[in-house]
């Protein structure tokens, strides 16, 4: 997730407005920044690694000449944060500058073709191919706009793009597929941005570009057309009534809620990872004699769930370990035959990095799954995958958790395929169903987003909650409990349901809410007994179950019915969503700030 801002002003320099716009988009990413402006047909490009304010001052970006320009604040996806990898990216002749938010999935293929045609690449990014593709198309004496459209038609993946070129000194070209881009118009000129907050100081009259659309901006307005067939699009300007602060959260009252609702999109991004990195990790996983899944907090529950996936479909025994325990528990036995897969959203968690250090010292193979390119984990891991969730601002992890699960599912499936321990049909079927997970999460949000508030109203005065699940759902239950604990500070327990009679049942008395996570699947039969045990003690049963599961529904006091079609092994990705919402709404009802729970930090970088 990156931030894009561009403007064509009728008078004055574009650069100060670009700076101001990017500052308002800083929450979208902040590892590097760059501007491209146009003045009398000359393209000026400056960029570097660092925070917006520092880079702008250091390179005097604010003083770049010209009333037309675009700027970019980066959240690295391909290529570590560095000057060369910062946007804008230019073609060989430095006449075309491109800024981009998204992921070009087929960039390696396109890059290979362009290199064969003599193009010289400066960066390791996927974005740079776009500048060279446009340059290549223009060789046929094609006009810039048409060349951009031809290039867009070859791109696979997601993009919000803004392009400027010395060949069109009074224009900005924009396009969108999956990544957001909004256009704005005022008496001062025309604007484009990733998000409304950047626009609001200049205008509240905007048009949201839709998937598959291309727009040409000049100082008096813009013209939109469809990329595929060039059909002109008429769309009325929309008036935004949000304040700047509301707009940063896209109208949601808190970042956490925004991030919960972003999950269909972040999950789609997690399905767009570069296949060669997944293959590389899979090859390492296959070689190891033992696999440790090492992580802290929410990430450790993603690992707990993943251990069921690796064992069930790839027949690989794994050890999910909380990173602060790894050295004590396995430090002496880990060795050259071990693989340590560290999962960390930030890539900076102290205990996880300590575990990784030890593993490397003992010659184990260290792999990583993270959301942060350029983080320490990406530097020390032998190979890693970046989950592409975009920055998560809410301290309690939500979208990064579900994306970690989806990345780990992809690895488990690849390993299953490589090892051939389950049938080809089973793997294919799981693969198909995995592709539908973002849609299922979208349905869950659509159906239950509001309804969960009623559930919260009913249960908001309890001073103890219990979460139970069997099999992989025990990890979902633990994560649901963690969300509640983090946000509401209400004591709560989570256990594999089978363990409840070994202790937790002692706290259950009349009226205690017990949340059962019970998707259909192998563990579904045994959960009925656990529900009955709790009911017999007067517990109020809240089930997260599949729609139409009458047996469970019949013995529950309340239920959240989940769409059919998600296999048990992938169920945590969808079944955790109502639990995220429950914790969020309960916190709000208690007057607490869900974005900043007390005593907690987004990234724990100290022992
Ligand atoms: C902190 C955060 C959690 C996060 C955990 C691990 O406790 O508050 O949300 O799950 O760290 O962070 P990591 O960046 O390693 O995933």
């Amino acid at each position: 997730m990156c931030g894009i801002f561009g403007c064509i002003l009728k008078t004055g320099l574009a650069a100060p407005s670009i700076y101001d716009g990017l500052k308002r988009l800083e929450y979208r990413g902040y590892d590097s920044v760059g501007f491209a402006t146009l003045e009398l047909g000359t393209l000026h490009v400056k960029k570097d690694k660092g925070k917006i304010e520092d880079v702008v001052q250091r390179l005097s970006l604010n003083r770049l000449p010209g009333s037309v320009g675009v700027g970019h604040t980066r959240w690295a996806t391909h290529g570590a944060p560095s000057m060369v990898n910062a946007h804008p990216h230019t073609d060989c002749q430095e006449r075309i500058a491109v800024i981009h938010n998204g992921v070009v999935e087929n960039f390696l293929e396109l890059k290979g073709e362009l290199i064969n045609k003599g193009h010289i690449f400066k960066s390791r990014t996927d974005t740079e191919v776009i500048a060279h593709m446009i340059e290549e198309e223009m060789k046929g004496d094609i006009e810039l706009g048409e060349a951009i459209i031809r290039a867009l038609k070859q791109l696979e993946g997601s993009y919000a793009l803004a392009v400027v070129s010395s060949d069109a000194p009074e224009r900005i070209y924009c396009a969108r597929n999956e990544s957001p881009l909004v256009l704005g118009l005022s008496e001062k000129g025309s604007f484009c941005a990733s998000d409304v907050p950047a626009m609001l100081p200049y205008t509240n009259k905007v048009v949201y570009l839709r998937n598959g659309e291309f727009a040409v901006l000049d100082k008096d307005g813009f013209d939109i057309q469809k990329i595929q067939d060039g059909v002109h699009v008429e769309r009325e300007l929309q008036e935004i009534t949000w304040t700047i602060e509301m707009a940063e959260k896209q109208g949601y009252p808190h970042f956490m809620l925004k991030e919960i609702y972003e999950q269909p999109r972040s999950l789609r991004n997690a399905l767009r990872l570069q296949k060669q990195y997944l293959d590389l990790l899979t090859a390492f996983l296959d070689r190891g004699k033992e696999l440790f899944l090492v992580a802290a907090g929410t990430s450790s529950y993603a690992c707990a769930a993943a251990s069921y996936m690796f064992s069930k479909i790839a027949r690989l025994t794994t050890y999910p370990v909380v990173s602060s325990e790894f050295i004590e528990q396995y430090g002496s036995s880990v060795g050259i035959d071990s693989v340590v897969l560290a999962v960390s959203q930030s890539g900076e968690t102290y205990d996880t990095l300590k575990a990784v250090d030890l593993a490397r010292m003992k010659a184990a193979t260290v792999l990583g799954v993270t959301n942060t390119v350029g983080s320490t984990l990406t530097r020390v891991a032998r190979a890693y995958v970046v989950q592409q969730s975009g920055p998560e601002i809410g301290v309690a992890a939500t979208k990064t958790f579900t994306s970690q699960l989806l990345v780990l599912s992809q690895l488990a499936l690849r390993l299953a395929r490589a090892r051939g321990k389950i049938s080809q049909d089973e793997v294919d079927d799981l693969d198909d169903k995995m592709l539908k997970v973002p849609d299922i999460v979208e349905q869950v949000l659509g159906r239950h987003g509001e309804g969960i508030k009623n559930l919260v109203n009913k249960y908001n005065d309890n001073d103890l909650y219990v979460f139970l699940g069997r099999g992989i759902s025990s990890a979902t239950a633990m994560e649901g409990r963690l969300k509640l604990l983090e946000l509401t500070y209400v004591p709560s327990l989570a256990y594999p349901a089978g363990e409840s009679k070994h202790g937790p049942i002692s706290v259950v008395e009349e009226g205690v809410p017990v949340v059962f996570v019970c998707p259909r699947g192998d563990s579904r039969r045994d959960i009925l007994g656990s529900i009955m045990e709790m009911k017999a003690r007067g517990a109020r049963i809240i089930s997260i179950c599949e729609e139409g599961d009458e047996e469970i529904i019949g013995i529950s006091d309340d239920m959240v019915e989940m769409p059919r079609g998600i296999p048990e092994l992938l169920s945590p990705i969808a079944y955790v969503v109502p639990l995220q919402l429950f914790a969020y709404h309960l916190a709000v009802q208690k007057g607490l700030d869900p974005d900043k729970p007390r005593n907690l930090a987004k990234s724990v970088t100290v022992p």
Side-chain angles (χ1 to χ4, degrees), residues 296-299 343-347 349 352 395-397 404 486 601-604:
T298 289
S299 303
V343 179
S344 170
Q345 183 280 124
S346 60
T349 297
T352 306
V395 165
Q404 283 169 343
E486 283 178 305
K602 184 75 196 153
S603 178
V604 181

Side-chain angles (χ1 to χ4, degrees), residues 194-299:
S194 297
D195 211 344
V196 169
M199 201 79 89
L200 286 179
Y202 307 99
T203 181
N204 64 348
K205 300 212 168 45
V206 306
V207 157
Y208 287 90
L209 216 56
R210 296 187 190 160
N211 286 340
E213 290 181 347
F214 169 75
V216 185
L217 282 65
D218 63 25
K219 63 181 183 335
D220 300 310
F222 35 78
D223 186 65
I224 305 174
Q225 67 178 73
K226 295 210 170 124
I227 296 169
Q228 245 355 290
D229 51 17
V231 170
H232 177 78
V233 176
E234 277 298 335
R235 188 162 307 136
E236 292 213 349
L237 285 165
Q238 198 175 320
E239 202 169 307
I240 302 288
T241 50
W242 294 341
T243 61
I244 291 177
E245 212 227 342
M246 279 163 78
E248 276 182 356
K249 297 176 190 144
Q250 283 167 2
Y252 290 102
H254 298 99
F255 282 110
M256 184 184 173
L257 193 61
K258 169 176 169 273
E259 285 155 4
I260 290 175
Y261 274 87
E262 249 167 44
Q263 290 179 107
R265 182 149 30 104
S266 51
L267 288 168
R268 285 184 188 113
N269 287 342
L271 286 173
R272 286 204 186 94
L273 307 179
Q274 294 294 322
K275 312 284 174 274
Q276 74 272 24
Y277 297 131
L278 290 170
D279 285 342
L280 185 62
L281 257 73
T282 309
F284 280 124
L285 291 172
D286 199 19
R287 257 183 252 161
K289 282 234 172 75
E290 55 185 4
L291 171 61
F292 296 98
L293 299 163
V294 178
T298 289
S299 303

Side-chain angles (χ1 to χ4, degrees), residues 401-442:
F401 173 67
T402 47
S403 289
Q404 283 169 343
L405 286 170
L406 197 51
V407 172
L408 293 164
S409 316
Q410 289 173 76
L411 289 172
L413 264 167
R414 268 164 199 265
L415 193 60
R417 216 179 264 289
R419 298 187 141 205
K421 302 274 181 175
I422 59 170
S423 76
Q424 185 76 25
D425 284 354
E426 276 176 276
V427 185
D428 288 346
D429 183 52
L430 270 172
D431 236 343
D432 287 348
K433 290 187 170 137
M434 187 170 66
L435 298 180
K436 296 191 181 112
V437 166
D439 296 342
I440 288 186
V441 169
E442 197 157 18

